[in-house]
Amino acid sequence: MVAIFGCFGWWPIVRSLVLSFQTTNLVDPPEWVGLRNFATLLADPLLWTTVGNTVWFVLLALVFGFPLPILLAVVMSELRRLGGLFRVLVYLPVAVPPVVAVLMWKWFYDPDYGLFNQALGLIGLGPYPWLQDTATAMPSLVLEATWAAAGSTVLIYLAALTSVPAELYEAAEIDGASILRRVWHVTLPQLRGVLLIMLLLQIIGTFRVFTEPFVLTDGGPEDSTVTILLLIYRYAFINGDYGAAAALGVLLALALGVISAVYLRLTRNWSRT
């Protein structure tokens, strides 16, 4: 297993790091160029637009996508009937292949025949250019990504909720605590460690978003949804600049490493209290 992981995990990482200092077409022998690929990236104005778009996606995903699975898990844990059915329904989007799910949502967002505009038209609203407007394109991507990924997170929280001692809830009920107060003073403190890990994983995952902007908008309109991984794809497979693509991948990995280290440092003491 270590050999397999090293071959398919660490070796590509090492090759990407080496490639970031080279220029090559993957056919002829590579040429060492030092830091030129990194200089080219930093001089590209689209890079900073891409970084801003990705950070915006991450923030929206955290605001809408992080609390939703927690809320669903808490509500489902309180259900006495049909709990299994709701678990299946919540996890069902995860079972849909990502590209299929994105294509389905692309039809939902269609300005003329999409499900959303058709439904809103029944009450006299719309139509809205969901993916064609720079103001709504990124939130539309976040909505689809949240729907697609929330199911697995809900199941993790449901599993974590089983470890909360029932005596704590019983004591809170005896004291007359409402459901909201039980969630705030019992459930969330008991899930603190899981919440911290899931938040970090979501930050890392959303920084690496690719499928949604690639399939739904191709980075448009006006480059408002070009993310870092989509820019890496363009460098490599459209421009044929594999060195710059590898260099951007290295910068992203370093940035995520720094973010993770700072996050773990800041939350180390809080997670133990």
Side-chain angles (χ1 to χ4, degrees):
M1 293 302 297
V2 173
I4 292 175
F5 184 77
C7 179
F8 295 99
W10 286 105
W11 178 242
I13 294 175
V14 174
R15 285 290 299 126
S16 297
L17 180 61
V18 173
L19 187 60
S20 66
F21 298 100
Q22 297 175 335
T23 179
T24 179
N25 57 7
L26 301 183
V27 177
D28 298 323
E31 175 187 353
W32 285 90
V33 295
L35 298 176
R36 193 174 72 187
N37 290 326
F38 295 93
T40 300
L41 284 176
L42 297 177
D44 187 356
L46 184 58
L47 173 64
W48 306 110
T49 300
T50 299
V51 172
N53 292 341
T54 305
V55 171
W56 179 229
F57 181 92
V58 171
L59 293 177
L60 289 176
L62 292 178
V63 170
F64 297 106
F66 184 70
L68 179 61
I70 303 173
L71 176 63
L72 291 175
V74 170
V75 172
M76 292 170 60
S77 67
E78 295 290 333
L79 294 177
R80 297 295 182 263
R81 301 176 58 185
L82 301 179
L85 175 61
F86 284 108
R87 285 173 172 81
V88 172
L89 294 177
V90 167
Y91 190 75
L92 187 60
V94 182
V96 179
V99 175
V100 174
V102 173
L103 290 175
M104 179 178 67
W105 276 73
K106 190 172 185 178
W107 171 70
F108 290 170
Y109 286 134
D110 187 275
D112 299 319
Y113 308 104
L115 177 64
F116 292 155
N117 280 335
Q118 292 290 331
L120 292 173
L122 297 177
I123 56 176
L125 298 177
Y128 297 103
W130 302 99
L131 300 176
Q132 292 74 33
D133 191 336
T134 56
T136 58
M138 190 64 80
S140 299
L141 267 60
V142 171
L143 179 62
E144 188 281 331
T146 300
W147 173 86
S152 57
T153 309
V154 170
L155 294 185
I156 293 174
Y157 287 138
L158 283 172
L161 284 171
T162 60
S163 64
V164 180
E167 294 80 6
L168 297 178
Y169 290 113
E170 294 173 358
E173 290 179 2
I174 293 175
D175 291 338
S178 63
I179 294 179
L180 292 179
R181 292 182 66 86
R182 292 202 301 269
V183 170
W184 183 258
H185 293 288
V186 178
T187 303
L188 293 183
Q190 292 296 314
L191 297 183
R192 183 177 300 170
V194 177
L195 291 173
L196 291 175
I197 294 298
M198 295 304 298
L199 177 58
L200 177 59
L201 292 177
Q202 181 167 348
I203 293 173
I204 295 174
T206 49
F207 264 104
R208 297 167 54 246
V209 61
F210 172 76
T211 305
E212 285 78 11
F214 178 68
V215 179
L216 284 177
T217 62
D218 194 27
E222 300 177 9
D223 294 327
S224 61
T225 58
V226 179
T227 58
I228 294 177
L229 257 65
L230 184 56
L231 185 60
I232 292 175
Y233 170 85
R234 289 183 176 182
Y235 272 125
F237 300 108
I238 295 181
N239 301 336
D241 194 347
Y242 300 102
L248 184 52
V250 170
L251 291 178
L252 176 60
L254 291 175
L256 291 179
V258 171
I259 291 173
S260 300
V262 172
Y263 177 87
L264 293 174
R265 176 68 178 178
L266 293 176
T267 60
R268 181 177 58 181
N269 294 330
W270 188 62
S271 62
R272 296 175 179 176
T273 57

